[in-house]
Amino acid sequence: MQILKSRSSKILAGLVGGTALGVAVLFAPSLFVSKAVFTAASGKKIMNVPVPGEATADQKLIDLAGHQVPVVKDGLYDRFRSNPLLSVIEEERPDLDLTWFKTLKKQKKEVGFTTYSPNFYYSNSSITAIYTADMGRIKELMPEQVRRFVQPISFMPGKGLIAITSYNYNYCDNDSYNELSISIVTTKPNKQNFGLISLMGQISDNSLWGYVLKLPVDTELARVRGVAGYNLPKWLIPIEYNSDGGELNFTYYDEQGKLDFSMSGKKLELADTQPKITRVNFTNLDAQGRLTHGFSDIRALKSASSREGGDVQLGLSDGPLSIFIKSLGLKDLIRYDYQPDFQAALYTPELVDKK
């Protein structure tokens, strides 16, 4: 799922805790950042790489958009193809709060395969870090057609913002999987770029915008659905998730099964707040080069944030993901967000109206 699939409203809300703070951020943003913490990722463990078109003993192959895709036998996707009854979810997971999902209505969509929008993500966790990054590099990575529609928000001269999020989708319409999102924080469509003023306007509206650069996943089902149905830059790699101890840890391997990149986030003390829904919008080009817009509504159940550089660490190697991250020129941590419990509804992208 893609996606500035970050909890960016909470990540960035600390920048605008009032008018005085907002003005201070605009004129002296360096006062509100910490140095990003990078470590050397090393390890000799070699992971088995999933093979497209091959199923394990607990899987079966289905045809999806012309691909032979392994899915969990009798899993949610095998039985319901993105459209399970909520009564089934209630029976299988009586511990979950499904009140929000009961207010949403799914629609049948044809996107190279039949699906239902929105896709429901019932129980998930994530860690997100927002960093300053080299604006020149950011502009290089955004296609001109996208930059005419949305622009990278400037944090300070020469510096834009990159959001890196690690997701564990523990229980969703597409069974379960892990994902890494690397995204550029952008303006709203066809709006002037007023830097942090633009950003504060989005926060006020609970509607954030971004352009997704990278979105590797660890199941072929998530990859094919994301590429064919959502125009997202997904590919298949092994990913490990561990929530033991005082951190959430995600480890990413390359397509040969070698250690590439890791992200570790401290388990912060949770804020006692009511669930809040934020819309996270993304723009992409489809296979024909046409501009599309999709979004995910995020219902945060438990979350906490900080600006301490040591609370989140990126482990870098000489692998392809690490090399890409190094090329972004990340320098300062703007916000770290720990979100051990959230729900989401991901809507199928539509073509942007050019009129």
Side-chain angles (χ1 to χ4, degrees):
M1 175 182 141
Q2 116 139 89
I3 314 179
L4 223 140
K5 295 176 175 169
S6 64
R7 311 289 67 82
S8 300
S9 64
K10 294 183 176 292
I11 296 164
L12 299 171
L15 295 175
V16 286
T19 302
L21 179 56
V23 172
V25 168
L26 288 174
F27 288 96
S30 61
L31 296 175
F32 298 89
V33 300
S34 299
K35 290 294 182 184
V37 176
F38 304 108
T39 61
S42 61
K44 297 182 179 179
K45 181 179 179 180
I46 302 296
M47 292 287 287
N48 291 327
V49 180
V51 179
E54 293 187 8
T56 60
D58 62 344
Q59 295 176 326
K60 62 184 287 189
L61 291 175
I62 65 168
D63 181 84
L64 189 66
H67 299 265
Q68 289 296 298
V69 176
V71 299
V72 178
K73 290 179 182 177
D74 297 321
L76 283 184
Y77 197 82
D78 183 22
R79 287 177 288 162
F80 302 108
R81 297 298 195 272
S82 298
N83 195 30
L85 296 172
L86 287 177
S87 60
V88 173
I89 306 301
E90 286 179 318
E91 182 178 347
E92 294 187 359
R93 289 292 303 271
D95 58 308
L96 296 179
D97 173 14
L98 301 179
T99 55
W100 179 51
F101 296 107
K102 292 178 181 179
T103 69
L104 306 178
K105 184 177 180 180
K106 293 194 176 206
Q107 293 183 324
K108 189 175 182 179
K109 298 282 186 177
E110 297 295 336
V111 292
F113 57 90
T114 301
T115 189
Y116 291 83
S117 180
N119 261 231
F120 289 168
Y121 292 75
Y122 307 101
S123 178
N124 322 276
S125 58
S126 69
I127 52 175
T128 299
I130 299 287
Y131 296 101
T132 60
D134 180 73
M135 181 62 83
R137 176 64 172 148
I138 285 175
K139 290 181 177 179
E140 288 177 1
L141 292 168
M142 289 184 70
E144 182 180 352
Q145 187 175 349
V146 175
R147 284 192 282 114
R148 289 198 299 264
F149 187 64
V150 294
Q151 300 174 36
I153 285 179
S154 176
F155 181 73
M156 63 178 71
K159 295 292 182 181
L161 296 174
I162 291 286
I164 300 181
T165 303
S166 291
Y167 294 100
N168 169 246
Y169 301 117
N170 178 260
Y171 187 65
C172 66
D173 287 345
N174 310 324
D175 298 319
S176 63
Y177 64 100
N178 298 298
E179 180 177 73
L180 174 69
S181 170
I182 304 177
S183 302
I184 298 169
V185 182
T186 73
T187 62
K188 290 183 178 182
N190 301 316
K191 297 292 184 181
Q192 287 186 286
N193 191 347
F194 293 113
L196 292 183
I197 293 177
S198 299
L199 179 58
M200 288 189 289
Q202 293 185 33
I203 293 170
S204 177
D205 294 340
N206 293 321
S207 182
L208 303 164
W209 287 79
Y211 174 71
V212 183
L213 297 170
K214 302 286 185 181
L215 208 65
V217 293
D218 62 355
T219 70
E220 181 70 349
L221 176 61
R223 186 194 72 82
V224 173
R225 284 180 50 83
V227 173
Y230 296 85
N231 314 309
L232 293 170
K234 293 195 175 189
W235 71 98
L236 186 64
I237 60 171
I239 302 173
E240 287 185 311
Y241 167 69
N242 190 312
S243 61
D244 295 337
E247 295 180 330
L248 293 189
N249 294 291
F250 292 82
T251 306
Y252 301 90
Y253 297 80
D254 65 18
E255 292 174 284
Q256 286 71 51
K258 297 179 181 179
L259 178 66
D260 185 342
F261 167 68
S262 65
M263 184 174 185
S264 300
K266 186 178 294 185
K267 294 180 179 179
L268 303 176
E269 183 176 349
L270 296 172
D272 185 15
T273 59
Q274 293 298 314
K276 181 180 179 181
I277 297 173
T278 298
R279 177 159 294 182
V280 179
N281 300 269
F282 58 95
T283 54
N284 289 89
L285 301 179
D286 68 8
Q288 290 75 46
R290 299 173 298 181
L291 198 62
T292 67
H293 164 238
F295 63 89
S296 182
D297 285 338
I298 307 299
R299 183 175 185 248
L301 300 175
K302 297 178 181 178
S303 65
S305 300
S306 85
R307 298 191 195 94
E308 296 297 325
D311 286 347
V312 59
Q313 299 186 25
L314 305 185
L316 302 174
S317 71
D318 59 357
L321 267 175
S322 292
I323 290 172
F324 176 78
I325 291 170
K326 291 174 184 177
S327 78
L328 298 173
L330 306 184
K331 183 178 180 182
D332 296 313
L333 175 72
I334 303 302
R335 192 77 172 175
Y336 163 62
D337 185 62
Y338 162 61
Q339 191 159 253
D341 193 5
F342 74 92
Q343 298 174 330
L346 174 62
Y347 289 80
T348 303
E350 305 287 347
L351 290 174
V352 171
D353 186 359
K354 299 180 180 179
K355 295 182 179 179

